[in-house]
Structure formats: structure tokens, C-alpha cells
Amino acid sequence: MSVIEHAVDIAAPPEVVWRVYVDPVRLPEWQTGNPVIEDVTGPGDRVGTTYVSRRGPGAARTTIVESDPPGRLVTMTTAYFGLRFDVTSELRAAGPGTRLTIRAETRWPRGAGVLGRLVEAVLLSGGEARKELAALKALVERERALPR
């Protein structure tokens, strides 16, 4: 098991960040790898909601396992080669904005060994997480600045 933790401060209240962050249809707007979202069942912030994210030939199925809007979201994702991600996201008011903290635990099936570590280093690097959170921050703050 590996653990990756990252945080970003976003100049918008937790409710605004939550709406963008938990919407599976909006994932391609801020996640890397040009994901295509398919088979969405339910709203993105309800326990039991599932969706498939495709990046190239790989696909991953995510299930919402815990949700406490607009403060906490826990997802479980099963992906290629038996990889499993458990992601806990916390949104907390921080001054006039929100601090989004993400903790991702990755688990590989027995025997994945070197292949698992290689894929994890490439796909789940801290650099990718930082890029995605920076893109989410820019998206939310840009939308927040638009006249209503």
C-alpha cells in the first residue's frame, strides 16, 4: 500500500468547490489524462453513485462510499491490473476560501510487484496530483469570478 497526500487552497466557499469537485461529468475539465466519463449512476455526491473513467485503453470504476456534503467524500476505485484507490477528500473553510485535502491509498494485488510500483510512479505521482489540484483551483476560481 502507498499513501499520497496533497492539499490546495481555493478562493471559494466549500459549497462552491464541492459542486465542481464531486460532479463526475466535470472531471475531464480538471483531471489529467483526458478522461472520458461513462456509465454514471446517480449524482456524484451520493453514497452508491458509480462511474467509469477511461484514459486510453485503461478504465477505472469509482464508487462513492461516504459522503458528507460539503465537507467529506470517500471513494473507492478499482482499475487496471487490479489496482485499487481509496481516496478521502476533506473540504474545510480556510479564511474566505476552502482547503481541499486529498489522501489517496493505493493497493495492488499480490504479485504486481515491480509492475505495480512502475505504474504507480507514472500514473499516481505527486506531480500529477498537484497538476490536477491546480487545474481544479483555476477552474473553480475562474467560474467564481464570472459575473452572474
Side-chain angles (χ1 to χ4, degrees):
M1 178 178 78
S2 297
V3 175
I4 299 171
E5 290 189 38
H6 293 285
V8 64
D9 291 319
I10 301 173
E15 300 78 23
V16 172
V17 176
W18 178 268
R19 280 193 299 271
V20 175
Y21 182 68
V22 302
D23 185 349
V25 175
R26 300 208 58 192
L27 291 174
E29 295 178 57
W30 59 272
Q31 285 195 352
T32 61
N34 300 314
V36 174
I37 306 304
E38 305 172 338
D39 302 325
V40 178
T41 62
D45 67 347
R46 295 267 171 80
V47 172
T49 294
T50 63
Y51 59 89
V52 172
S53 176
R54 292 196 181 282
R55 287 177 170 85
R61 176 171 295 281
T62 299
T63 302
I64 308 301
V65 295
E66 184 181 328
S67 178
D68 184 15
R72 181 176 167 87
L73 184 75
V74 180
T75 61
M76 181 185 71
T77 301
T78 53
Y80 21 81
F81 308 117
L83 170 64
R84 181 175 147 184
F85 306 89
D86 294 321
V87 179
T88 301
S89 305
E90 301 276 348
L91 292 86
R92 296 287 175 245
T98 300
R99 170 156 278 222
L100 170 60
T101 305
I102 297 172
R103 182 176 198 277
E105 295 179 6
T106 58
R107 293 178 176 80
W108 287 94
R110 274 199 136 100
V114 174
L115 173 64
R117 285 191 293 280
L118 177 63
V119 172
E120 194 168 338
V122 172
L123 298 178
L124 306 176
S125 71
E128 288 304 302
R130 280 188 290 280
K131 286 180 199 172
E132 288 183 348
L133 291 179
L136 175 66
K137 173 183 172 69
L139 174 64
V140 171
E141 290 178 355
R142 183 174 56 248
E143 287 185 0
R144 181 106 170 111
L146 294 175
R148 295 178 192 248

